[in-house]
């Protein structure tokens, strides 16, 4: 038995808490069910070991129903011309279909954003399929703006929008 991971938020009966290594098989299961973008098992473990604070899961009585995994990167700002910035990159976020529309997706993004700020990130960005109206609406609600377009970003040829929001002060 590992140590209980820190709970960072509560949404009714759902807990948003840090992901544990033991949660990864369930995270992969949620990813397989909800998204066409999959990753190797090793990729999840790597992100967890490098960026544990921003790898969060939504847990309902011990059952994992959603996750968000992120990276902190340093590179060209998506908001300032010619500037460099520390950026939180939302690599993947998903909630199981039967648990959607309850604020879990919003809670996961907001909680990971707070952790990004603690790690000195000043912007948060992600890529999203141009057809993913639900996710785009959620990001817009949270202040993300379209800052770029990537043609044929996904394997099936669909394009992505890059969306970015300033975080912290
Ligand atoms: N089912 C789905 N969406 C609903 C429902 C419902 N029953 N009811 C309302 N919504 C709408 C609302 O507009 C809601 O926003 P509002 O309540 O503020 O008006 C919004 O959808 C969803 O908000 P949340 O409840 O906070 O988010 P949810 O827990 O439903 O998760 C998510 C959103 C993660 C996008 C989810 O739809 C999902 O997992 N989709 C499939 C995977 C995916 O597309 N992930 C994002 C890919 S891009 C990336 O990963 C960077
Ligand atoms: Zn990405």
């Amino acid at each position: 038995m590992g140590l209980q991971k820190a709970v960072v938020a509560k949404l009714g009966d759902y807990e948003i808490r840090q992901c544990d290594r033991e949660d990864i098989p369930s995270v992969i299961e949620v990813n397989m069910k909800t998204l066409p973008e999959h990753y190797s098992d090793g990729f999840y473990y790597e992100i967890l070991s490098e960026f544990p604070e921003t790898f969060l899961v939504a847990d309902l009585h011990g059952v994992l129903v959603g996750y968000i995994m992120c990276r902190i990167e340093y590179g060209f700002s998506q908001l300032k011309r010619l500037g460099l910035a520390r950026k939180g990159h939302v690599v993947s976020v998903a909630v199981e279909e039967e648990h959607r529309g309850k604020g879990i997706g919003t809670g996961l993004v907001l909680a990971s954003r707070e952790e990004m700020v603690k790690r000195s990130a000043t912007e948060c960005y992600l890529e999203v399929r141009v057809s993913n109206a639900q996710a785009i609406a959620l990001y817009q609600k949270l202040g993300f703006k379209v800052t770029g377009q990537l043609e044929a970003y996904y394997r099936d040829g669909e394009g992505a929008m890059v969306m970015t929001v300033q975080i912290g002060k």
Side-chain angles (χ1 to χ4, degrees):
M1 287 267 278
L3 283 173
Q4 198 72 21
K5 281 282 173 176
V7 175
V8 298
K10 280 212 110 194
L11 282 168
D13 283 349
Y14 297 94
E15 278 183 358
I16 294 180
R17 61 167 176 82
Q18 276 189 19
C19 183
D20 188 86
R21 284 181 68 83
E22 289 157 28
D23 296 317
I24 296 291
S26 306
V27 169
I28 292 172
E29 214 174 291
V30 173
N31 169 269
M32 294 298 279
K33 280 198 250 182
T34 56
L35 277 167
E37 283 67 54
H38 308 307
Y39 313 92
S40 67
D41 292 8
F43 182 76
Y44 292 90
Y45 289 102
E46 253 172 58
I47 297 225
L48 179 61
S49 63
E50 254 193 281
F51 307 105
E53 302 90 346
T54 51
F55 197 148
L56 304 175
V57 296
D59 177 321
L60 178 64
H61 308 304
V63 177
L64 202 145
V65 303
Y67 71 87
I68 187 166
M69 64 171 171
C70 311
R71 261 195 315 242
I72 309 283
E73 301 165 357
Y74 187 67
F76 288 109
S77 168
Q78 262 122 239
L79 297 173
K80 298 177 293 182
R81 256 174 197 266
L82 304 173
L84 289 166
R86 192 176 295 280
K87 306 182 286 188
H89 176 180
V90 178
V91 174
S92 184
V93 54
V95 174
E96 287 217 351
E97 197 158 6
E98 54 277 36
H99 300 276
R100 289 181 197 160
K102 296 179 174 179
I104 301 169
T106 301
L108 287 168
V109 175
L110 289 178
S112 67
R113 246 159 71 167
E114 277 181 41
E115 298 302 315
M116 288 171 186
V117 171
K118 288 188 203 159
R119 286 193 58 163
S120 309
T122 55
E123 19 194 285
C124 172
Y125 82 98
L126 51 82
E127 299 93 14
V128 59
R129 282 180 181 264
V130 293
S131 67
N132 194 347
Q134 183 115 40
I136 291 167
L138 185 147
Y139 304 141
Q140 279 172 337
K141 180 185 81 179
L142 297 179
F144 287 81
K145 300 272 193 302
V146 176
T147 54
Q149 302 253 22
L150 303 169
E151 294 292 318
Y153 180 74
Y154 299 99
R155 274 175 181 236
D156 59 7
E158 188 170 345
M161 299 215 284
V162 181
M163 298 185 75
T164 311
V165 64
Q166 188 182 333
I167 58 175
K169 33 183 169 83

